[in-house]
Amino acid sequence: MSDLIHDLVNDRIQTLHREAEEQRLALRVSRVQRARREVRKANDRLRKALGRQF
């Protein structure tokens, strides 16, 4: 019985590690997406500012 409990505990630990890694990856993806949006907005502002100069 203790082997079964040990296996269950190990499985749960592995699951928690996988879930934590997935959350870290999701956070990185959302940061990259946000950065891309900010770059697009900055490019748009720059384009508009340059268009007004000429």
Side-chain angles (χ1 to χ4, degrees), residues 3-20:
D3 285 343
L4 176 61
I5 293 172
H6 183 73
D7 289 345
L8 289 172
V9 168
N10 282 339
D11 285 347
R12 182 64 180 140
I13 290 169
Q14 288 176 357
T15 300
L16 290 171
H17 282 294
R18 271 194 306 275
E19 289 173 354

Side-chain angles (χ1 to χ4, degrees), residues 10-34:
N10 282 339
D11 285 347
R12 182 64 180 140
I13 290 169
Q14 288 176 357
T15 300
L16 290 171
H17 282 294
R18 271 194 306 275
E19 289 173 354
E21 182 57 32
E22 289 171 3
Q23 289 176 354
R24 286 190 292 273
L25 180 59
L27 182 60
R28 281 183 288 212
V29 168
S30 66
R31 285 178 178 160
V32 167
Q33 290 171 335
R34 187 178 334 124

